[in-house]
Amino acid sequence: MRHKYLQLLSIACMVFWSCTLTGNPDPRILLGGEEAANPRGIIIPADPNATPTPFLPLDPTARAATPSPIPTALWGGFPGPSVPPSIPIPPPVDQIQQPAGQVNFVLLGSDQRPNSSGFRTDTILLVTLSPNLGKVSITAFPRDLYVYIPGWTMQRINTAHAQGGFDALRSTFLYNLGFLPDFYALVNFWSFEQLVDNLGGINVFAPTRLTDHRDGYGQFTVPAGNVHMDGETALWYVRSRYSSSDFERNQRQQAVLIAIFYRLVSLNGIQRAPELYELFRNNVTTNASFNDISPFLGLAADLASDSSILSTYTIGRSHVTPFTTSSGAAVLLPDYNAITNTMRQALNAP
């Protein structure tokens, strides 16, 4: 029985860290954090004739708890651009020191369609696990955040993974956000729907009424309050954006992720554990093995009984400036000081 209980907890942890569509059903959970508003003014002009440095994957064993020094050469020692950027490239941010034993999972939701290999990671959530402090945090990033992707160019952050996989995404996070993610998990539309339906649906707290278009249904509405959602409804809820902003969508994604976690923890049918584990293995792309996850089962159990150990953060309006590129693309320019202040809170920086 104990083995089955641990197996169920492991599934809950893996889905909590791998489903990139998440949420916050408990109003006690801390939202946000202080947001500074002093933009970072130092930039390094990019030379279009510069010879790009070959992209080198970062050491997968590296941990942000033991930061390595960053060279002070052009682009801070990172690979230079292979495509001339539309705006000057800012310098890399300082690396954020983190507590010992802390691990960062990046949860990615792709917009991949069936029979298509191309996709962008329109959902980007960071789950930070700090067992020594007894804390968990979730940080949401807007897909249109316009950053330097080392070895390529200035571009939206949701294109980094498609450009160079998790190595490119890690490098992008280190350059622009000051830390290296340890693990990632990637899920697509149909896998997410199947996951929620296999759980028998989830209960999501909707802070406000939401009305928007829904494919094949015309307009669709989710009322305010506690709402039971099947897979199709949950997917629409986390993707809806025509009647609300990307920032509000990020908060809905956080709410759905947490609802999935609590649904898994509350399951009475332990006999479904093997089925749920196979669903995870077959429908989620990740570099995290069970051995990587198992040390955090105790923290997951603590979270199941005490939601106060969870804090959520969003890179929101006060962290960015809307901007239109020379090609007409609407993007968000980072306020690096404001973002760094929030990231230091989310990462429990000393």
Side-chain angles (χ1 to χ4, degrees), residues 178-210:
F179 73 97
L180 280 171
D182 300 289
F183 301 103
Y184 81 100
L186 175 70
V187 66
N188 54 35
F189 290 164
W190 60 91
S191 297
F192 174 75
E193 282 193 37
Q194 183 181 1
L195 171 67
V196 173
D197 287 338
N198 273 275
L199 293 177
I202 55 176
N203 296 317
V204 180
F205 176 75
T208 59
R209 173 188 173 97
L210 178 67

Side-chain angles (χ1 to χ4, degrees), residues 292-346:
D292 293 319
I293 293 170
S294 58
F296 302 97
L297 294 180
L299 185 59
D302 292 342
L303 176 60
S305 60
D306 181 9
S307 64
S308 68
I309 72 173
L310 173 64
S311 299
T312 62
Y313 300 87
T314 299
I315 303 305
R317 289 183 176 87
S318 63
H319 297 83
V320 299
T321 300
F323 179 75
T324 301
T325 68
S326 57
S327 62
V331 298
L332 302 171
L333 297 182
D335 177 339
Y336 287 99
N337 282 345
I339 290 176
T340 297
N341 286 342
T342 296
M343 292 311 306
R344 287 182 58 82
Q345 296 178 61

Side-chain angles (χ1 to χ4, degrees), residues 7 43 60 69 87 91-92 122 154 197 199 219 228 231 242 290 336:
Q7 189 176 18
I43 58 176
I87 62 174
D122 279 356
M154 293 290 296
D197 287 338
L199 293 177
Q219 280 200 328
H228 184 77
Y242 297 107
F290 179 78
Y336 287 99

Side-chain angles (χ1 to χ4, degrees), residues 270-287:
I270 294 180
Q271 68 275 11
R272 294 190 65 201
E275 170 194 348
L276 296 172
Y277 179 68
E278 288 303 316
L279 178 64
F280 171 83
R281 287 183 53 192
N282 294 333
N283 292 334
V284 175
T285 302
T286 180
N287 65 338

Side-chain angles (χ1 to χ4, degrees), residues 94-322:
D94 294 333
Q95 192 167 358
I96 299 173
Q97 186 176 359
Q98 300 181 60
Q102 184 163 283
V103 169
N104 296 296
F105 285 76
V106 178
L107 312 180
L108 304 170
S110 84
D111 64 356
Q112 182 182 12
R113 270 67 173 179
N115 303 318
S116 173
S117 58
F119 66 87
R120 294 164 298 183
T121 53
D122 279 356
T123 299
I124 304 175
L125 297 168
L126 174 71
V127 177
T128 299
L129 307 169
S130 188
N132 293 343
L133 299 178
K135 292 182 178 181
V136 178
S137 69
I138 302 175
T139 307
F141 301 91
R143 60 180 184 168
D144 292 333
L145 196 65
Y146 203 59
V147 297
Y148 178 51
I149 300 175
W152 186 26
T153 192
M154 293 290 296
Q155 190 51 268
R156 291 184 175 95
I157 196 171
N158 69 343
T159 64
H161 188 276
Q163 173 66 18
F166 186 49
D167 285 327
L169 186 64
R170 291 186 85 217
S171 183
T172 300
F173 267 64
L174 181 59
Y175 191 99
N176 299 278
L177 300 170
F179 73 97
L180 280 171
D182 300 289
F183 301 103
Y184 81 100
L186 175 70
V187 66
N188 54 35
F189 290 164
W190 60 91
S191 297
F192 174 75
E193 282 193 37
Q194 183 181 1
L195 171 67
V196 173
D197 287 338
N198 273 275
L199 293 177
I202 55 176
N203 296 317
V204 180
F205 176 75
T208 59
R209 173 188 173 97
L210 178 67
T211 298
D212 206 340
H213 296 290
R214 181 176 178 181
D215 294 343
Y217 291 87
Q219 280 200 328
F220 188 77
T221 297
V222 165
N226 290 309
V227 181
H228 184 77
M229 298 183 182
D230 60 11
E232 186 177 20
T233 301
L235 180 62
W236 171 85
Y237 188 68
V238 298
R239 294 191 62 225
S240 175
R241 59 189 173 88
Y242 297 107
S243 62
S244 60
S245 70
D246 270 356
F247 305 117
E248 292 165 330
R249 185 170 72 161
N250 285 345
Q251 292 179 333
R252 294 196 299 271
Q253 291 165 354
Q254 289 176 326
V256 170
L257 175 65
I258 298 174
I260 290 173
F261 173 74
Y262 282 110
R263 174 57 179 157
L264 280 166
V265 171
S266 68
L267 281 176
N268 295 320
I270 294 180
Q271 68 275 11
R272 294 190 65 201
E275 170 194 348
L276 296 172
Y277 179 68
E278 288 303 316
L279 178 64
F280 171 83
R281 287 183 53 192
N282 294 333
N283 292 334
V284 175
T285 302
T286 180
N287 65 338
S289 68
F290 179 78
N291 289 336
D292 293 319
I293 293 170
S294 58
F296 302 97
L297 294 180
L299 185 59
D302 292 342
L303 176 60
S305 60
D306 181 9
S307 64
S308 68
I309 72 173
L310 173 64
S311 299
T312 62
Y313 300 87
T314 299
I315 303 305
R317 289 183 176 87
S318 63
H319 297 83
V320 299
T321 300

